[in-house]
């Protein structure tokens, strides 16, 4: 176990999903206490993950909350601050897909993906920004996607949300640059998680064939980039998009 995040408190949204688990583990491995937000997974599954987390000697707590809703988010963040005393690192990781070509996409599928993938980033950042400004310290890292950089067939909703995260990140980085807060995004390529398991096998194979590295990413490979940005010493890096995509988009 390292100590680079000793005494730091992180809040990871979607922490019980594939990439979220890896991020939470990697931050905890470096000594951070982690608020583990989730919504979709069954409670027993989340408890099982917490058990594993604790067995590693990590300090974490589960927070079930819908981060696409502002009120739910503020309540959750109040609880996290009450439990751990502060939040130093926010990782906006929660996300969903509802793929359809625009012709077939229902308005609800547009609205839902924008709410979960984009408004959640606003909700969590907004609910924490004063806290971070008051303490003159913060690391905000949002999980975008290669799809937000280059587009993807059947994902106008998801691509729009993930591209908007980049604009949000750059703007908030400007607003907080002199205040000890860095704001960055990580843009993964295709990662082996429940999200990509939903994709048709032939579509996925075609994507893998086009990745220069020749395979999908493992969740820990994305978590490494988050860890780098979460470090106190990554203090001159703000408003950036760190791509972890196996060379898929350069
Ligand atoms: P996943 O489906 O395994 O996990 C998603 C997590 O988000 C789950 O823990 C779920 O409970 C949570 N969640 C969903 N809706 C929520 C809500 N309203 N409130 C709170 N939590 C909510 O997906 P993943 O592959 O681990 O994706 C994590 C992030 O990485 C997402 O933002 C996703 O868009 C992004 N991403 C994934 C890939 C990939 O290939 N898997 C690629 C690029 C970016």
């Amino acid at each position: 176990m390292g100590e680079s995040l000793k005494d730091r408190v992180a809040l990871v949204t979607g922490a019980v999903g594939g990439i979220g688990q890896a991020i939470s583990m990697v931050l905890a491995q470096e000594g951070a206490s982690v608020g583990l937000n989730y919504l979709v997974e069954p409670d027993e599954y989340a408890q099982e993950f917490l058990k594993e987390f604790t067995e590693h000697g990590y300090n974490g707590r589960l927070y079930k909350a819908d981060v696409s809703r502002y009120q739910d988010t503020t309540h959750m963040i109040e609880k996290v601050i009450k439990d751990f005393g502060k939040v130093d690192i926010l990782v906006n990781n929660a996300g969903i897909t509802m793929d359809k070509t625009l012709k077939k996409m229902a308005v609800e599928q547009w609205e839902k993906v924008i709410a979960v993938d984009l408004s959640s980033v606003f909700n969590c950042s907004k609910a924490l920004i004063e806290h971070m400004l008051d303490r003159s310290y913060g690391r905000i890292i949002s999980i975008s996607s290669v799809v937000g950089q280059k587009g993807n067939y059947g994902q106008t909703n998801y691509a729009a949300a993930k591209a908007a995260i980049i604009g949000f990140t750059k703007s908030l980085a400007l607003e907080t640059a002199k205040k000890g807060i860095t704001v960055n995004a990580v843009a993964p390529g295709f990662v082996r998680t429940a999200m990509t398991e939903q994709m048709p096998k032939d579509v996925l194979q075609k994507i893998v064939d086009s990745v220069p590295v020749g395979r999908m990413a493992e969740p820990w490979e994305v978590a490494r980039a988050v860890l780098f940005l979460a470090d106190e010493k990554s203090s001159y890096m703000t408003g950036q998009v760190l791509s972890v995509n196996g060379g898929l988009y350069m």
Side-chain angles (χ1 to χ4, degrees), residues 14-20 37-41 65-68 93-96 116-117 143-145 158 162 188-191 193-196:
V16 177
I19 296 173
N37 160 257
Y38 73 103
L39 182 71
V40 174
E41 292 81 3
D66 183 347
V67 290
S68 72
N93 166 75
I96 57 164
V116 176
D117 293 33
I143 308 301
S144 174
S145 167
Y158 185 74
K162 294 298 182 181
F190 290 82
V191 189
T193 69
M195 184 176 275
T196 42

Side-chain angles (χ1 to χ4, degrees), residues 190 199-212 248:
F190 290 82
M199 292 169 73
K201 293 279 163 289
D202 56 324
V203 174
L204 206 54
Q205 190 54 49
K206 256 195 199 150
I207 290 168
V208 171
D209 291 344
S210 69
V211 178
L248 184 59

Side-chain angles (χ1 to χ4, degrees), residues 20-32:
Q21 283 197 10
I23 293 170
S24 306
M25 290 281 205
V26 163
L27 298 179
Q29 226 161 38
E30 283 298 318

